[in-house]
Amino acid sequence: MSYSVILEDIRAKMAAITDIGVVHHYQRWSADWKKFLAHFAYTTEGSDQQEIRGWTISRAAAPEHLRGAYFRHHIFRLRGYLGLRDEVATELTFQELIEDICDTFRNATAADPAANWYYLYGDEPDEDSAQVELIDIRIFGSTLCHYAELVLHCMERIVP
């Protein structure tokens, strides 16, 4: 099964983006909002001030079909958080981070050239593998944050 290999490849590619923040390879939650937000505490390059800035990666679905061979369509949900600070226009920063993620996965390849999976939208190969589904502002506890959900598609050819 390539799930863990694909997950690590996604995490590594995201972590390589400058000032992306903390990247978790699973969905982080806590009933205590301060603990939840602590999962995303990050200090940007050249700053000494911590802020909320991070992403989680979790697989949302993995349908499989037979078309001459078995193919599994891994669907990953990337959730992003950035503490909102109007005085420094954090919305612009957040939008650029979203663009950086999309750019990273556009025409991306697996780290292993012999891999049997690809970043593509499977049944709709003309569409990019990374789709931005939601950009919003949310309150976590008493902290106002930019929030986004991206969906990343990977097609795996099942090799018995």
Side-chain angles (χ1 to χ4, degrees):
M1 181 168 120
S2 295
Y3 163 73
S4 58
V5 173
I6 297 168
L7 178 64
E8 177 52 29
D9 195 70
I10 295 168
R11 191 209 60 75
K13 281 178 171 46
M14 288 182 68
I17 297 171
T18 303
D19 280 333
I20 188 85
V22 181
V23 179
H24 296 282
H25 64 292
Y26 63 98
Q27 183 61 48
R28 302 299 306 257
W29 286 111
S30 176
D32 180 328
W33 287 114
K34 287 185 180 183
K35 287 181 183 176
F36 173 75
L37 291 172
H39 294 308
F40 304 99
Y42 181 79
T43 305
T44 57
E45 203 172 290
S47 174
D48 59 354
Q49 183 179 359
Q50 266 196 341
E51 64 182 348
I52 304 305
R53 184 186 286 235
W55 294 82
T56 63
I57 308 161
S58 67
R59 187 169 65 170
E64 188 173 306
H65 61 269
L66 175 62
R67 288 204 182 121
Y70 284 98
F71 291 89
R72 179 167 291 136
H73 185 184
H74 298 274
I75 304 168
F76 290 90
R77 185 161 303 277
L78 315 177
R79 292 179 177 92
Y81 308 87
L82 177 65
L84 192 151
R85 291 180 45 218
D86 184 67
E87 69 276 8
V88 293
T90 50
E91 179 180 354
L92 300 176
T93 301
F94 195 59
Q95 294 285 355
E96 285 301 322
L97 289 172
I98 292 167
E99 289 302 306
D100 290 346
I101 292 169
C102 291
D103 290 347
T104 295
F105 290 101
R106 189 175 295 113
N107 302 315
T109 58
D112 177 2
N116 59 337
W117 57 272
Y118 309 90
Y119 289 108
L120 58 89
Y121 191 39
D123 293 334
E124 299 293 335
D126 290 338
E127 294 189 32
D128 190 36
S129 62
Q131 301 292 319
V132 181
E133 289 198 340
L134 175 70
I135 302 172
D136 203 359
I137 295 172
R138 301 227 172 137
I139 296 176
F140 297 98
S142 61
T143 304
L144 195 58
C145 291
H146 299 283
Y147 175 79
E149 290 187 15
L150 285 70
V151 174
L152 184 64
H153 302 269
C154 299
M155 182 62 75
E156 175 189 11
R157 183 175 184 267
I158 307 296
V159 179

